[in-house]
């Protein structure tokens, strides 16, 4: 007779499922302004790629996506649907360009469709016509599966970092070994980013990265490009 999975093991596996590049939400199609940064010579190799990605991780994801995801997970845990919805609207309104908004809402919508097909209650109840941010969809899945908010936020941040490394590999081109060096340098910083995100007050949330906004806006009109953002 097969042994039942240990609850903590199953929660970890659910985080890995949500962080996996096999998750069918199209994360590989987005560079979050990195493609334009490379086009302009802001990012040229491993060191500058690390600087760019580190800045986004700490000051964009760590001050916007991660703290909102933590709040939405807790809102669902408390049965507070209105608070969850308010944070979803706030997060989408915080996207500074059309590309960044579409990236978030399209990936969130793709994950929502998957979660609906899996019968996750919060996803099933969500109106199909209402836009859903990716962190919101992740919070729905993580809370339902009992991953824990911190583990879920770490998984989401890792997935984002892996996508950035993949984009750099294609665009610089960085090379697979240097891509692993990038991950090796930045991975130890992820727990601290999530821990700081958990300490932020509501009034402290927000990215405010003019360079990212400029790169994303200019990327919309870039002559040649591989990525959607």
């Amino acid at each position: 007779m097969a042994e039942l999975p240990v609850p903590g093991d199953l929660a970890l596996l659910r985080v890995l499922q949500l962080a996996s590049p096999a998750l069918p939400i199209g994360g590989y199609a987005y560079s979050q302004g990195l493609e334009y940064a490379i086009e302009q010579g802001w990012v040229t190799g491993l060191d500058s790629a690390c600087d760019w990605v580190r800045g986004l991780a700490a000051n964009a994801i760590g001050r916007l996506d991660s703290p909102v995801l933590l709040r939405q997970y807790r809102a669902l845990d408390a049965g507070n649907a209105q608070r969850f919805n308010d944070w979803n609207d706030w997060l989408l309104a915080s996207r500074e360009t059309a590309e960044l908004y579409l990236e978030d809402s399209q990936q969130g919508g793709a994950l929502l469709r998957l979660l609906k097909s899996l019968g996750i209650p919060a996803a099933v109840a969500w109106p199909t016509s209402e836009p859903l941010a990716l962190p919101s969809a992740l919070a729905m899945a993580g809370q339902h599966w009992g991953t824990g908010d911190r583990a879920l936020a770490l998984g989401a941040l890792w997935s984002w970092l892996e996508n950035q490394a993949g984009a750099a590999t294609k665009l610089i081109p960085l090379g697979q070994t240097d891509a692993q060096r990038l991950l090796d340098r930045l991975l130890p910083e992820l727990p601290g980013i999530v821990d700081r995100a958990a300490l932020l007050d509501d009034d402290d949330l927000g990215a405010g990265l003019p360079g990212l906004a400029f790169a994303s806006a200019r990327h919309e009109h870039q002559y040649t490009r591989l990525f959607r953002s």
Side-chain angles (χ1 to χ4, degrees), residues 32 55-67 95 206-207 209 212:
Q32 286 213 331
L56 295 188
N59 300 305
I61 307 301
R63 297 191 65 86
L64 187 62
D65 298 60
S66 294
R95 302 311 183 192
L209 293 178
L212 171 62

Side-chain angles (χ1 to χ4, degrees), residues 90-195:
W90 187 89
L91 184 57
L92 288 171
S94 298
R95 302 311 183 192
E96 295 181 292
T97 67
E99 276 198 348
L100 293 174
Y101 176 88
L102 288 173
E103 175 183 349
D104 197 16
S105 59
Q106 287 173 354
Q107 289 189 86
L111 183 52
L112 175 66
R113 291 189 292 273
L114 173 62
L115 300 183
K116 283 179 179 287
S117 74
L118 298 176
I120 292 178
V124 172
W126 190 264
T128 303
S129 59
E130 189 71 20
L132 187 70
L134 178 58
S136 305
L138 290 170
M140 285 180 175
Q143 190 274 335
H144 176 72
W145 287 328
T147 63
D149 55 354
R150 185 175 185 274
L152 180 64
L154 277 170
L157 185 55
W158 162 254
S159 178
W160 174 87
L161 175 61
E162 195 173 32
N163 279 335
Q164 288 285 287
T169 302
K170 297 180 179 74
L171 291 167
I172 293 175
L174 196 60
Q176 293 181 340
T177 299
D178 273 347
Q180 289 301 311
R181 291 192 178 105
L182 184 149
L183 295 175
D184 184 64
R185 289 186 190 181
L186 299 184
L187 186 148
E189 301 178 19
L190 303 191
I193 291 173
V194 171
D195 289 341

